[in-house]
Amino acid sequence: MDVSIPFVERPAVLRSGALPLDGRECQRHMFKFLKKKDGGKNDESPAQEQGVFQRLRQGLSKTRSTLTGRLDRLFLGKREITDDLLEELEEVLFISDIGVATTQELINAAKEKVARKELNDPQKLKSVLRDHILSFLQVPPVEHSFPAPGEPLVILVIGVNGVGKTTTIGKVAHGLKSEGKKAMLVAADTFRAAAVEQLVIWGERVGAQVIRQAQGADPSSVVFDALPAAISRKVDVVLIDTAGRLHTKKNLMEELQKIHRVTGRRLPGAPHEVWLVLDATTGQNAISQAEMFDKALGVTGIILTKLDGTAKGGIVVGVSHQLGIPIRYIGIGEKVDDLRPFDAADFVQAIFD
């Protein structure tokens, strides 16, 4: 279905008088804003870090089996890189849901090295693929605005129904609290019957304030009321939950754009971030969703859930590289701490080692 969606420019919405920030500046400012208030008392020990990595590796076991397991079997006993080998490699990458465009880039890079006689050992080809995939995942931050002193960081969280959006918001709030941050959850998904109740339960569970209205209320009015409350209560981060009916429906995008506009009118420069939650098990459909949401709202970060339940973890590479949007978090389990901040090097190591 061809649906016309109003286009929103990707460049940052900057506060009046503010200077544009490049990707590196964005990253530095965000780190400064979200760093721990307790002086780093919760820093993980080497043993804890190793435990975290093992959970990551376990959570990505299906993807590792699909991608690197098949690569190992493909390269086993091979002594040179032939056209047939590259064709089989292309098929393995497709099956892993890395995506057509990204797969073609990887294959072309390998062909160029072979043509320049820089590469002819199939075992070294695996290392070349690993290095390229890592570079694809090291996407610079998308430019965006930042809160003024005394104002909260406002994050608009979007995504279709069923991706785990509300649960993800609760888990992010849990992580913020563990870092000494005060979070507020805004129940702007007023269309789905259980959405508000689910967010309230998460708020109680993680100790976060929840702003809500009656079911069926105007979502923008909920946000309008929440922002001054967040300032008066000295909240650090506001996470706005939103409706997620089919992404092909024009009226959903218009509703989300309205929330975006009202947020900016109520607090100039907000929302400072727009995070898109995607279900990794949907594979290539996640890329089409991301393209549509990004066109309508200007996505600044992606969260991929349910990676532990799929062999299609290559979608992490495809969606981030193809759209040029960084991955913020990945979900590798049901536990509250199984939503992990994304680290490209750790992800690649967990897949290839």
Side-chain angles (χ1 to χ4, degrees), residues 111-160:
K111 286 181 176 179
E112 287 177 10
K113 284 185 174 292
V114 171
R116 293 197 300 262
K117 301 189 183 303
E118 296 175 1
L119 178 68
N120 196 37
D121 183 351
Q123 297 305 319
K124 291 183 179 179
L125 176 55
K126 183 178 176 182
S127 297
V128 169
L129 291 172
R130 172 182 173 142
D131 291 343
H132 276 282
I133 287 174
L134 177 58
S135 70
F136 288 170
L137 289 171
Q138 293 172 328
V139 178
V142 176
E143 294 180 9
H144 56 82
S145 57
F146 289 89
E151 293 179 352
L153 175 71
V154 180
I155 303 172
L156 184 66
V157 184
I158 58 177
V160 301

Side-chain angles (χ1 to χ4, degrees), residues 189-239:
D189 181 0
T190 59
F191 301 110
R192 188 164 60 92
V196 175
E197 290 76 8
Q198 185 182 2
L199 197 67
V200 169
I201 291 171
W202 268 108
E204 293 172 349
R205 182 178 178 185
V206 303
Q209 303 173 58
V210 179
I211 300 296
R212 59 173 174 167
Q213 292 183 12
Q215 183 183 342
D218 181 0
S220 297
S221 70
V222 184
V223 177
F224 189 84
D225 291 343
L227 295 179
I231 295 173
S232 65
R233 300 176 192 181
K234 302 186 184 306
V235 167
D236 296 304
V237 182
V238 175
L239 296 162

Side-chain angles (χ1 to χ4, degrees), residues 21 24-34 146:
L21 299 172
R24 194 168 296 175
E25 281 291 311
C26 282
Q27 192 171 34
R28 183 160 56 247
H29 278 70
M30 184 59 66
F31 175 78
K32 181 179 179 182
F33 184 85
L34 291 177
F146 289 89

Side-chain angles (χ1 to χ4, degrees), residues 60-101:
L60 295 173
S61 60
K62 292 183 180 180
T63 295
R64 184 171 59 256
S65 176
T66 299
L67 179 56
T68 55
R70 292 184 180 187
L71 288 178
D72 289 339
R73 290 192 292 274
L74 174 61
F75 298 152
L76 183 64
K78 302 293 195 305
R79 295 187 176 182
E80 61 180 352
I81 299 173
T82 63
D83 289 341
D84 289 341
L85 179 67
L86 290 174
E87 284 185 13
E88 291 183 65
L89 172 60
E90 188 172 14
E91 182 179 347
V92 169
L93 296 175
F94 277 143
I95 292 173
S96 302
D97 261 322
I98 284 179
V100 176

